[in-house]
Amino acid sequence: RGNFEKSEWCWQQSLRLDPHFPDVHANLARVAWRRGQTQRATQLFLRQLRETPGDIDTLLDLGRLLAELGRHAESGEKFRRVLEINPSDAGAHHHLGELSLLAGHLDAASAELNQAIRLEPDRPGLHLALAQVAHRRGQFESARTHVAAELELPRHTPAQTLAIAQLLIELRLPQPAVDLLTPLLEAAPKREPAGEHDDESAIRPAAPALSRSATGWLYRGVARMLQNRFDEGIADCRRAYRLDPRYLLATQNLALASLTKGRLTAAAVWIRRARSIRPDDPQIRLLAARLWRANVRAAIVRLLHRK
């Protein structure tokens, strides 16, 4: 239920009554992870493995946590250890495939992911990862086929939903992205618990601490802009900006949308805000140059009208 403090207290009582109670350190680690206490969670997982070295669930969770922390070599070591114990573990193949994808080793990623899908065809996230591999290779029809198969599967976590939506946008499929994101945004809490982690399959590189809600609003805004629904897209991107005023992509897209609609004053405001976040960003320089050209054209038009 998200009551992590009470959950930890209960597990601590179990530990006090029986220092060897099964999985107690692993469960304390999972609570610490959900609370954003990643260093403590790592130590608790390692303590659990000292007591039960072949605990596959703990090895998988520790591997996922290490991957989230950017410690990819150590993460891969845990997943390979799982496969030494059980070569048919689809989760370990899945995670190794995603690590290879992050490293840009597309052949290795494809091999691991295809092995995982042979072992567990309905595992959420596998078709998504294969779609990402295909997209990176420029095989866009294959990517669309895999993402369509992913959309048929149930039980996606919010993080997976956002990753699917991002890929749909990159594949220029805005309506499925809007359809996917709208229920997630309607169900999202106004504020997310700090350190929330509920993604059981996707491995991602370290990223800025943006709320899922802000990312969801941004993605839906971009999808609506691709549909030429600029006013709705701008409204969504503004929601993302209000949730996280340091969200560079939100300010960039608001500047771009304002330029596209000819709202030059608003575009100047968003470009100025984007520069305050990252002054040397090349995309911001391109937007500023586009704004300058638009202002010059507008000035010429005004001058001609006076004549």
Side-chain angles (χ1 to χ4, degrees), residues 284-295:
I284 299 170
R285 287 199 295 270
L286 289 173
L287 289 169
R290 183 171 167 180
L291 174 63
W292 180 83
R293 290 193 296 271
N295 278 319

Side-chain angles (χ1 to χ4, degrees), residues 2 38 43-44 96 110 134 168 180 188 201 237 263 269 294 298 301:
T38 53
Q43 295 304 314
L44 285 165
L96 284 171
S110 182
L168 287 167
L180 183 67
S201 63
C237 288
R263 300 170 184 171
V269 170
V301 170

Side-chain angles (χ1 to χ4, degrees), residues 24-98:
V24 65
H25 292 108
N27 283 306
L28 282 167
R30 293 177 184 113
V31 172
W33 190 3
R34 294 290 295 272
R35 298 181 75 180
Q37 300 166 351
T38 53
Q39 184 174 357
R40 181 166 179 264
T42 302
Q43 295 304 314
L44 285 165
F45 278 135
L46 289 170
R47 184 168 179 179
Q48 180 69 48
L49 287 172
R50 284 195 292 271
E51 293 190 6
T52 54
D55 185 342
I56 285 179
D57 287 339
T58 299
L59 284 165
L60 288 171
D61 278 345
L62 178 57
R64 289 172 51 229
L65 173 56
L66 291 169
E68 187 178 281
L69 296 174
R71 296 162 62 177
H72 296 159
E74 297 168 80
S75 172
E77 178 186 308
K78 303 307 175 193
F79 299 139
R80 284 187 285 273
R81 174 63 181 143
V82 170
L83 292 176
E84 289 174 4
I85 299 167
N86 178 17
S88 298
D89 191 288
H93 284 293
H94 184 176
H95 298 320
L96 284 171
E98 289 192 319

Side-chain angles (χ1 to χ4, degrees), residues 105-164:
H105 302 149
L106 300 185
D107 289 342
S110 182
E112 292 288 358
L113 294 166
N114 278 304
Q115 177 63 12
I117 213 163
R118 282 191 290 270
L119 292 166
E120 191 178 338
D122 296 331
R123 180 180 175 85
L126 280 174
H127 281 290
L128 168 62
L130 284 166
Q132 291 167 332
V133 170
H135 186 260
R136 292 273 291 274
R137 287 174 164 166
Q139 299 168 348
F140 301 121
E141 281 306 313
S142 176
R144 291 186 184 96
T145 299
H146 278 297
V147 81
E150 186 68 48
L151 287 169
E152 294 295 320
L153 298 175
R155 298 178 289 113
H156 291 115
T157 67
Q160 286 175 330
T161 300
L162 292 175
I164 296 167

